[in-house]
Amino acid sequence: MRLKDDEWTIAHLHQHLQAAVDLEFWTIPYYMSALYSVVDRTTQAVQLVQSVVNQEMLHVQLACNIANAYGLSPRFAAPVYRGHGIPHLDFALDKPDPRPEFAPYSAEIGPLDIPRINGMCLIEYPEWDTGGKAILRDTITEYGSIGEFYDALQYGAGLLRRHIQGGVRQVDHFSAFYNNMPSLTVTDSDGDGYNQVVLLINTIREQGEGTSGASAALPAAYQNTADDSDPSWPHFQKFQTIRQTVEKPLTYPVTLAVDYSDHQRALAATLVETFGRFRTALEQLFAGGNPGGFVPLMISVGACIQNCWKNGVTPRFG
C-alpha cells in the first residue's frame, strides 16, 4: 500500500533501512560464490566480479552507517537463496518488466553461469525513470528495482531527517579506496546529516545500477581510486560485459549433495560455521563493538567458498 508523507513513520524508515542492509548483505555470498567458482583467477570476469564484491562490502557499511544515524542497530540474519526470490524486490512491478530479457535467472547459489549472471544483472538493473517522486510503500517487498527502493528510502529519510544523530556507531574501512569521496560516514545531525545520508545512498545507487545512465561513467566521487581495473563502470555494466562475452570462463564441476562424501560434507559445514562467525562479527562491528579478526574472517569465508568449489561442493551459508 502506498503511503502519504504524513504516514511515513520512523518504524517504516527502520523497516526500509534493515531491508537495505539485508539486500546488500544478500548479494555478497551470491556474488562471491560465483566469483570463486571460476577456475582461472586471471580472467576479466573474475576481476569484474571481485570489484563488485568489494563495493558490496562498502554498501553494507554505508547502509549500516545510515541505519545507526537513525537509531537502528542493524541485524545480520542468515540470507536465504531459493528459486527466484531476491530480498525486497519484485521485478514484475518494473515497467517494462526486465525478466524476459534476463531469462533464465536464478537466485540460488551457484557457479558463474548464465542463470547467475542474469540474476546479477537483474539485481543491479537500472531504474530508467529516475527523477520522479518516490513511491513510498508500507512494506519492503513492493519495489520493482533497487533504484526505486532507494528512491523511497531517501525520500522517507528526508521526511524524518530530524531523527538523525551524527557520529553514532559509524564505521569506515574503505576511505583509503575512495580519495574523491568527502565522507563515508554520517557525522552531522538533522539537515547537514541528511546531506551526508544522501551522499551515501547515491554512492550505493550509482555504483550499482549507474543511475546517471545505464552505460554512463560513474561520477569521479564514487569511483574506486585504488584497486579497480574499471573504476568508471557501475555494477550493471560490469555484469552486462560478462553476459555479452561469448566464451564464459570455465567453472569447477559440482557433485549432487545427495552424493557428497564425508569430506565434502565437512567442507560445507566449515563454510556455514565460518560464515556464521562472520555475520556475528558484522553485527558486533555495527553495534559499536570491536570484534577481533574481522578482516581475516572475511578472507576465510572466501577461502572456504573456493575450497568447496575445488572439491565439487556447492557453497551454502545457513
Side-chain angles (χ1 to χ4, degrees), residues 57-97:
M57 279 302 303
L58 167 65
H59 295 179
V60 169
Q61 174 189 287
L62 300 182
C64 288
N65 283 345
I66 297 170
N68 277 318
Y70 280 94
L72 174 71
S73 225
R75 311 291 293 181
F76 286 87
V80 176
Y81 302 93
R82 185 180 302 121
H84 298 94
I86 295 169
H88 314 308
L89 299 179
D90 181 356
F91 302 120
L93 296 173
D94 208 1
K95 304 300 179 190
D97 185 343

mmCIF file of all heavy atoms in Angstrom, residues 57-97:
data_model
loop_
_atom_site.group_PDB
_atom_site.id
_atom_site.type_symbol
_atom_site.label_atom_id
_atom_site.label_comp_id
_atom_site.label_asym_id
_atom_site.label_seq_id
_atom_site.Cartn_x
_atom_site.Cartn_y
_atom_site.Cartn_z
ATOM 1 N N MET A 57 30.612 -4.859 -0.064
ATOM 2 C CA MET A 57 31.009 -4.725 1.345
ATOM 3 C C MET A 57 30.950 -3.262 1.760
ATOM 4 O O MET A 57 30.521 -2.930 2.870
ATOM 5 C CB MET A 57 32.410 -5.287 1.556
ATOM 6 C CG MET A 57 32.468 -6.797 1.702
ATOM 7 S SD MET A 57 31.465 -7.414 3.077
ATOM 8 C CE MET A 57 32.153 -6.510 4.472
ATOM 9 N N LEU A 58 31.379 -2.362 0.877
ATOM 10 C CA LEU A 58 31.242 -0.933 1.141
ATOM 11 C C LEU A 58 29.770 -0.566 1.326
ATOM 12 O O LEU A 58 29.417 0.177 2.247
ATOM 13 C CB LEU A 58 31.841 -0.120 -0.008
ATOM 14 C CG LEU A 58 31.515 1.383 -0.028
ATOM 15 C CD1 LEU A 58 32.128 2.088 1.178
ATOM 16 C CD2 LEU A 58 31.985 2.024 -1.332
ATOM 17 N N HIS A 59 28.892 -1.101 0.481
ATOM 18 C CA HIS A 59 27.471 -0.768 0.560
ATOM 19 C C HIS A 59 26.854 -1.235 1.868
ATOM 20 O O HIS A 59 25.995 -0.551 2.438
ATOM 21 C CB HIS A 59 26.719 -1.379 -0.626
ATOM 22 C CG HIS A 59 27.126 -0.810 -1.944
ATOM 23 N ND1 HIS A 59 26.592 -1.236 -3.144
ATOM 24 C CD2 HIS A 59 28.025 0.159 -2.262
ATOM 25 C CE1 HIS A 59 27.139 -0.560 -4.135
ATOM 26 N NE2 HIS A 59 28.019 0.285 -3.625
ATOM 27 N N VAL A 60 27.284 -2.397 2.348
ATOM 28 C CA VAL A 60 26.826 -2.849 3.669
ATOM 29 C C VAL A 60 27.235 -1.834 4.730
ATOM 30 O O VAL A 60 26.432 -1.452 5.595
ATOM 31 C CB VAL A 60 27.392 -4.244 4.001
ATOM 32 C CG1 VAL A 60 27.158 -4.598 5.466
ATOM 33 C CG2 VAL A 60 26.745 -5.305 3.105
ATOM 34 N N GLN A 61 28.478 -1.375 4.655
ATOM 35 C CA GLN A 61 28.952 -0.381 5.621
ATOM 36 C C GLN A 61 28.116 0.899 5.531
ATOM 37 O O GLN A 61 27.698 1.442 6.558
ATOM 38 C CB GLN A 61 30.417 -0.049 5.361
ATOM 39 C CG GLN A 61 30.956 1.091 6.225
ATOM 40 C CD GLN A 61 32.344 1.550 5.817
ATOM 41 O OE1 GLN A 61 33.307 0.842 6.058
ATOM 42 N NE2 GLN A 61 32.433 2.718 5.202
ATOM 43 N N LEU A 62 27.858 1.382 4.326
ATOM 44 C CA LEU A 62 27.116 2.630 4.161
ATOM 45 C C LEU A 62 25.686 2.487 4.672
ATOM 46 O O LEU A 62 25.167 3.381 5.354
ATOM 47 C CB LEU A 62 27.115 3.054 2.692
ATOM 48 C CG LEU A 62 28.474 3.306 2.045
ATOM 49 C CD1 LEU A 62 28.310 3.775 0.608
ATOM 50 C CD2 LEU A 62 29.299 4.303 2.841
ATOM 51 N N ALA A 63 25.025 1.366 4.323
ATOM 52 C CA ALA A 63 23.657 1.143 4.786
ATOM 53 C C ALA A 63 23.607 1.066 6.307
ATOM 54 O O ALA A 63 22.673 1.594 6.940
ATOM 55 C CB ALA A 63 23.093 -0.137 4.169
ATOM 56 N N CYS A 64 24.590 0.431 6.911
ATOM 57 C CA CYS A 64 24.636 0.322 8.376
ATOM 58 C C CYS A 64 24.904 1.682 9.018
ATOM 59 O O CYS A 64 24.324 2.009 10.071
ATOM 60 C CB CYS A 64 25.699 -0.678 8.803
ATOM 61 S SG CYS A 64 25.267 -2.397 8.478
ATOM 62 N N ASN A 65 25.770 2.481 8.424
ATOM 63 C CA ASN A 65 26.036 3.817 8.967
ATOM 64 C C ASN A 65 24.777 4.678 8.944
ATOM 65 O O ASN A 65 24.494 5.415 9.899
ATOM 66 C CB ASN A 65 27.161 4.490 8.183
ATOM 67 C CG ASN A 65 28.535 3.966 8.563
ATOM 68 O OD1 ASN A 65 28.706 3.309 9.583
ATOM 69 N ND2 ASN A 65 29.532 4.252 7.738
ATOM 70 N N ILE A 66 24.012 4.597 7.856
ATOM 71 C CA ILE A 66 22.753 5.347 7.782
ATOM 72 C C ILE A 66 21.784 4.834 8.844
ATOM 73 O O ILE A 66 21.127 5.621 9.549
ATOM 74 C CB ILE A 66 22.140 5.233 6.376
ATOM 75 C CG1 ILE A 66 23.059 5.864 5.323
ATOM 76 C CG2 ILE A 66 20.771 5.904 6.339
ATOM 77 C CD1 ILE A 66 22.641 5.567 3.898
ATOM 78 N N ALA A 67 21.672 3.508 8.958
ATOM 79 C CA ALA A 67 20.761 2.927 9.948
ATOM 80 C C ALA A 67 21.106 3.403 11.352
ATOM 81 O O ALA A 67 20.222 3.821 12.120
ATOM 82 C CB ALA A 67 20.814 1.400 9.870
ATOM 83 N N ASN A 68 22.377 3.374 11.700
ATOM 84 C CA ASN A 68 22.788 3.806 13.036
ATOM 85 C C ASN A 68 22.502 5.281 13.262
ATOM 86 O O ASN A 68 22.153 5.695 14.376
ATOM 87 C CB ASN A 68 24.274 3.504 13.249
ATOM 88 C CG ASN A 68 24.519 2.073 13.688
ATOM 89 O OD1 ASN A 68 23.794 1.540 14.520
ATOM 90 N ND2 ASN A 68 25.541 1.440 13.137
ATOM 91 N N ALA A 69 22.632 6.084 12.223
ATOM 92 C CA ALA A 69 22.348 7.516 12.360
ATOM 93 C C ALA A 69 20.876 7.760 12.671
ATOM 94 O O ALA A 69 20.531 8.771 13.301
ATOM 95 C CB ALA A 69 22.739 8.250 11.078
ATOM 96 N N TYR A 70 20.006 6.841 12.247
ATOM 97 C CA TYR A 70 18.575 6.952 12.527
ATOM 98 C C TYR A 70 18.141 6.097 13.722
ATOM 99 O O TYR A 70 16.948 5.874 13.927
ATOM 100 C CB TYR A 70 17.764 6.562 11.295
ATOM 101 C CG TYR A 70 17.660 7.653 10.261
ATOM 102 C CD1 TYR A 70 18.550 7.721 9.195
ATOM 103 C CD2 TYR A 70 16.667 8.631 10.330
ATOM 104 C CE1 TYR A 70 18.450 8.717 8.231
ATOM 105 C CE2 TYR A 70 16.559 9.635 9.375
ATOM 106 C CZ TYR A 70 17.468 9.674 8.328
ATOM 107 O OH TYR A 70 17.366 10.669 7.376
ATOM 108 N N GLY A 71 19.099 5.610 14.483
ATOM 109 C CA GLY A 71 18.770 4.903 15.717
ATOM 110 C C GLY A 71 18.454 3.436 15.564
ATOM 111 O O GLY A 71 17.901 2.822 16.488
ATOM 112 N N LEU A 72 18.818 2.835 14.436
ATOM 113 C CA LEU A 72 18.585 1.406 14.223
ATOM 114 C C LEU A 72 19.902 0.659 14.237
ATOM 115 O O LEU A 72 20.801 0.953 13.445
ATOM 116 C CB LEU A 72 17.887 1.162 12.886
ATOM 117 C CG LEU A 72 17.725 -0.315 12.503
ATOM 118 C CD1 LEU A 72 16.696 -0.993 13.393
ATOM 119 C CD2 LEU A 72 17.353 -0.464 11.033
ATOM 120 N N SER A 73 20.029 -0.332 15.116
ATOM 121 C CA SER A 73 21.205 -1.202 15.127
ATOM 122 C C SER A 73 20.909 -2.368 14.193
ATOM 123 O O SER A 73 20.054 -3.196 14.487
ATOM 124 C CB SER A 73 21.437 -1.729 16.539
ATOM 125 O OG SER A 73 22.759 -1.642 16.889
ATOM 126 N N PRO A 74 21.558 -2.451 13.029
ATOM 127 C CA PRO A 74 21.189 -3.462 12.030
ATOM 128 C C PRO A 74 21.517 -4.880 12.479
ATOM 129 O O PRO A 74 22.481 -5.118 13.206
ATOM 130 C CB PRO A 74 22.013 -3.061 10.800
ATOM 131 C CG PRO A 74 23.145 -2.261 11.334
ATOM 132 C CD PRO A 74 22.644 -1.572 12.555
ATOM 133 N N ARG A 75 20.700 -5.809 12.009
ATOM 134 C CA ARG A 75 20.892 -7.233 12.280
ATOM 135 C C ARG A 75 21.397 -7.935 11.020
ATOM 136 O O ARG A 75 21.164 -7.479 9.896
ATOM 137 C CB ARG A 75 19.580 -7.878 12.723
ATOM 138 C CG ARG A 75 18.840 -7.131 13.813
ATOM 139 C CD ARG A 75 19.548 -7.175 15.157
ATOM 140 N NE ARG A 75 19.576 -8.514 15.713
ATOM 141 C CZ ARG A 75 20.132 -8.808 16.887
ATOM 142 N NH1 ARG A 75 20.731 -7.851 17.601
ATOM 143 N NH2 ARG A 75 20.125 -10.035 17.361
ATOM 144 N N PHE A 76 22.059 -9.071 11.214
ATOM 145 C CA PHE A 76 22.597 -9.827 10.085
ATOM 146 C C PHE A 76 22.119 -11.275 10.178
ATOM 147 O O PHE A 76 22.822 -12.149 10.671
ATOM 148 C CB PHE A 76 24.129 -9.755 10.066
ATOM 149 C CG PHE A 76 24.658 -8.435 9.606
ATOM 150 C CD1 PHE A 76 24.844 -7.393 10.516
ATOM 151 C CD2 PHE A 76 24.953 -8.206 8.279
ATOM 152 C CE1 PHE A 76 25.322 -6.162 10.101
ATOM 153 C CE2 PHE A 76 25.431 -6.969 7.850
ATOM 154 C CZ PHE A 76 25.611 -5.952 8.766
ATOM 155 N N ALA A 77 20.899 -11.492 9.699
ATOM 156 C CA ALA A 77 20.351 -12.842 9.657
ATOM 157 C C ALA A 77 20.984 -13.613 8.498
ATOM 158 O O ALA A 77 21.498 -13.020 7.546
ATOM 159 C CB ALA A 77 18.838 -12.793 9.490
ATOM 160 N N ALA A 78 20.946 -14.944 8.591
ATOM 161 C CA ALA A 78 21.476 -15.772 7.506
ATOM 162 C C ALA A 78 20.630 -15.564 6.256
ATOM 163 O O ALA A 78 19.408 -15.737 6.291
ATOM 164 C CB ALA A 78 21.457 -17.237 7.909
ATOM 165 N N PRO A 79 21.215 -15.152 5.145
ATOM 166 C CA PRO A 79 20.441 -14.928 3.916
ATOM 167 C C PRO A 79 19.929 -16.244 3.337
ATOM 168 O O PRO A 79 20.528 -17.304 3.536
ATOM 169 C CB PRO A 79 21.446 -14.255 2.980
ATOM 170 C CG PRO A 79 22.791 -14.660 3.496
ATOM 171 C CD PRO A 79 22.650 -14.861 4.970
ATOM 172 N N VAL A 80 18.809 -16.166 2.628
ATOM 173 C CA VAL A 80 18.176 -17.336 2.022
ATOM 174 C C VAL A 80 18.302 -17.238 0.508
ATOM 175 O O VAL A 80 18.020 -16.181 -0.077
ATOM 176 C CB VAL A 80 16.695 -17.435 2.424
ATOM 177 C CG1 VAL A 80 16.013 -18.596 1.718
ATOM 178 C CG2 VAL A 80 16.569 -17.584 3.946
ATOM 179 N N TYR A 81 18.712 -18.338 -0.118
ATOM 180 C CA TYR A 81 18.893 -18.381 -1.565
ATOM 181 C C TYR A 81 18.014 -19.499 -2.121
ATOM 182 O O TYR A 81 18.374 -20.671 -2.015
ATOM 183 C CB TYR A 81 20.370 -18.607 -1.912
ATOM 184 C CG TYR A 81 21.258 -17.532 -1.332
ATOM 185 C CD1 TYR A 81 21.866 -17.706 -0.090
ATOM 186 C CD2 TYR A 81 21.445 -16.334 -2.004
ATOM 187 C CE1 TYR A 81 22.656 -16.699 0.458
ATOM 188 C CE2 TYR A 81 22.231 -15.330 -1.458
ATOM 189 C CZ TYR A 81 22.831 -15.520 -0.229
ATOM 190 O OH TYR A 81 23.609 -14.519 0.318
ATOM 191 N N ARG A 82 16.869 -19.095 -2.670
ATOM 192 C CA ARG A 82 15.898 -20.093 -3.106
ATOM 193 C C ARG A 82 15.137 -19.593 -4.322
ATOM 194 O O ARG A 82 14.633 -18.467 -4.324
ATOM 195 C CB ARG A 82 14.926 -20.404 -1.970
ATOM 196 C CG ARG A 82 13.938 -21.530 -2.264
ATOM 197 C CD ARG A 82 12.991 -21.789 -1.098
ATOM 198 N NE ARG A 82 13.716 -22.120 0.124
ATOM 199 C CZ ARG A 82 13.630 -21.421 1.252
ATOM 200 N NH1 ARG A 82 12.861 -20.342 1.301
ATOM 201 N NH2 ARG A 82 14.315 -21.782 2.318
ATOM 202 N N GLY A 83 15.066 -20.422 -5.345
ATOM 203 C CA GLY A 83 14.242 -20.113 -6.510
ATOM 204 C C GLY A 83 14.643 -18.825 -7.199
ATOM 205 O O GLY A 83 15.797 -18.635 -7.598
ATOM 206 N N HIS A 84 13.674 -17.905 -7.314
ATOM 207 C CA HIS A 84 13.899 -16.619 -7.971
ATOM 208 C C HIS A 84 13.795 -15.457 -6.989
ATOM 209 O O HIS A 84 13.747 -14.296 -7.402
ATOM 210 C CB HIS A 84 12.879 -16.415 -9.100
ATOM 211 C CG HIS A 84 12.970 -17.427 -10.198
ATOM 212 N ND1 HIS A 84 12.201 -18.565 -10.237
ATOM 213 C CD2 HIS A 84 13.761 -17.483 -11.299
ATOM 214 C CE1 HIS A 84 12.510 -19.276 -11.311
ATOM 215 N NE2 HIS A 84 13.448 -18.641 -11.974
ATOM 216 N N GLY A 85 13.748 -15.742 -5.684
ATOM 217 C CA GLY A 85 13.485 -14.707 -4.697
ATOM 218 C C GLY A 85 14.713 -13.895 -4.323
ATOM 219 O O GLY A 85 15.671 -14.428 -3.768
ATOM 220 N N ILE A 86 14.682 -12.613 -4.637
ATOM 221 C CA ILE A 86 15.737 -11.671 -4.245
ATOM 222 C C ILE A 86 15.117 -10.711 -3.240
ATOM 223 O O ILE A 86 14.057 -10.131 -3.502
ATOM 224 C CB ILE A 86 16.304 -10.933 -5.468
ATOM 225 C CG1 ILE A 86 16.998 -11.943 -6.397
ATOM 226 C CG2 ILE A 86 17.295 -9.846 -5.039
ATOM 227 C CD1 ILE A 86 17.379 -11.402 -7.747
ATOM 228 N N PRO A 87 15.709 -10.550 -2.067
ATOM 229 C CA PRO A 87 15.043 -9.838 -0.976
ATOM 230 C C PRO A 87 14.529 -8.455 -1.354
ATOM 231 O O PRO A 87 15.260 -7.637 -1.914
ATOM 232 C CB PRO A 87 16.138 -9.738 0.093
ATOM 233 C CG PRO A 87 17.054 -10.874 -0.184
ATOM 234 C CD PRO A 87 17.045 -11.031 -1.680
ATOM 235 N N HIS A 88 13.239 -8.236 -1.076
ATOM 236 C CA HIS A 88 12.610 -6.911 -1.117
ATOM 237 C C HIS A 88 12.446 -6.343 -2.524
ATOM 238 O O HIS A 88 12.168 -5.157 -2.676
ATOM 239 C CB HIS A 88 13.380 -5.924 -0.227
ATOM 240 C CG HIS A 88 13.712 -6.498 1.113
ATOM 241 N ND1 HIS A 88 12.758 -7.076 1.917
ATOM 242 C CD2 HIS A 88 14.885 -6.615 1.777
ATOM 243 C CE1 HIS A 88 13.336 -7.517 3.030
ATOM 244 N NE2 HIS A 88 14.615 -7.262 2.962
ATOM 245 N N LEU A 89 12.633 -7.167 -3.546
ATOM 246 C CA LEU A 89 12.443 -6.716 -4.916
ATOM 247 C C LEU A 89 11.410 -7.594 -5.609
ATOM 248 O O LEU A 89 11.406 -8.820 -5.439
ATOM 249 C CB LEU A 89 13.759 -6.750 -5.704
ATOM 250 C CG LEU A 89 14.891 -5.873 -5.187
ATOM 251 C CD1 LEU A 89 16.129 -6.043 -6.078
ATOM 252 C CD2 LEU A 89 14.483 -4.412 -5.117
ATOM 253 N N ASP A 90 10.545 -6.983 -6.385
ATOM 254 C CA ASP A 90 9.565 -7.690 -7.209
ATOM 255 C C ASP A 90 9.667 -7.107 -8.612
ATOM 256 O O ASP A 90 9.082 -6.073 -8.919
ATOM 257 C CB ASP A 90 8.161 -7.499 -6.638
ATOM 258 C CG ASP A 90 7.098 -8.249 -7.443
ATOM 259 O OD1 ASP A 90 7.453 -8.844 -8.485
ATOM 260 O OD2 ASP A 90 5.924 -8.225 -7.035
ATOM 261 N N PHE A 91 10.430 -7.778 -9.467
ATOM 262 C CA PHE A 91 10.728 -7.233 -10.792
ATOM 263 C C PHE A 91 9.481 -7.070 -11.652
ATOM 264 O O PHE A 91 9.482 -6.292 -12.606
ATOM 265 C CB PHE A 91 11.753 -8.113 -11.507
ATOM 266 C CG PHE A 91 13.050 -8.261 -10.763
ATOM 267 C CD1 PHE A 91 13.497 -9.509 -10.356
ATOM 268 C CD2 PHE A 91 13.814 -7.149 -10.447
ATOM 269 C CE1 PHE A 91 14.692 -9.651 -9.665
ATOM 270 C CE2 PHE A 91 15.007 -7.283 -9.754
ATOM 271 C CZ PHE A 91 15.444 -8.537 -9.360
ATOM 272 N N ALA A 92 8.412 -7.793 -11.319
ATOM 273 C CA ALA A 92 7.174 -7.686 -12.089
ATOM 274 C C ALA A 92 6.574 -6.285 -11.996
ATOM 275 O O ALA A 92 5.787 -5.882 -12.853
ATOM 276 C CB ALA A 92 6.155 -8.716 -11.611
ATOM 277 N N LEU A 93 6.955 -5.526 -10.968
ATOM 278 C CA LEU A 93 6.434 -4.178 -10.798
ATOM 279 C C LEU A 93 7.169 -3.163 -11.664
ATOM 280 O O LEU A 93 6.705 -2.025 -11.814
ATOM 281 C CB LEU A 93 6.535 -3.760 -9.322
ATOM 282 C CG LEU A 93 5.688 -4.565 -8.335
ATOM 283 C CD1 LEU A 93 6.022 -4.156 -6.915
ATOM 284 C CD2 LEU A 93 4.208 -4.365 -8.612
ATOM 285 N N ASP A 94 8.318 -3.541 -12.202
ATOM 286 C CA ASP A 94 9.071 -2.622 -13.051
ATOM 287 C C ASP A 94 8.433 -2.556 -14.430
ATOM 288 O O ASP A 94 7.939 -3.558 -14.940
ATOM 289 C CB ASP A 94 10.530 -3.095 -13.166
ATOM 290 C CG ASP A 94 11.494 -1.962 -13.413
ATOM 291 O OD1 ASP A 94 11.047 -0.812 -13.482
ATOM 292 O OD2 ASP A 94 12.703 -2.226 -13.519
ATOM 293 N N LYS A 95 8.427 -1.373 -15.018
ATOM 294 C CA LYS A 95 7.828 -1.184 -16.333
ATOM 295 C C LYS A 95 8.858 -0.585 -17.288
ATOM 296 O O LYS A 95 9.298 0.539 -17.078
ATOM 297 C CB LYS A 95 6.604 -0.270 -16.236
ATOM 298 C CG LYS A 95 5.547 -0.758 -15.262
ATOM 299 C CD LYS A 95 4.995 -2.126 -15.620
ATOM 300 C CE LYS A 95 3.959 -2.585 -14.582
ATOM 301 N NZ LYS A 95 3.577 -3.992 -14.761
ATOM 302 N N PRO A 96 9.283 -1.357 -18.309
ATOM 303 C CA PRO A 96 8.840 -2.714 -18.619
ATOM 304 C C PRO A 96 9.491 -3.760 -17.705
ATOM 305 O O PRO A 96 10.558 -3.515 -17.138
ATOM 306 C CB PRO A 96 9.311 -2.908 -20.062
ATOM 307 C CG PRO A 96 10.522 -2.023 -20.169
ATOM 308 C CD PRO A 96 10.233 -0.822 -19.314
ATOM 309 N N ASP A 97 8.841 -4.896 -17.577
ATOM 310 C CA ASP A 97 9.355 -6.000 -16.765
ATOM 311 C C ASP A 97 10.663 -6.501 -17.388
ATOM 312 O O ASP A 97 10.673 -6.943 -18.546
ATOM 313 C CB ASP A 97 8.310 -7.111 -16.736
ATOM 314 C CG ASP A 97 8.685 -8.274 -15.824
ATOM 315 O OD1 ASP A 97 9.870 -8.397 -15.464
ATOM 316 O OD2 ASP A 97 7.788 -9.069 -15.482
#
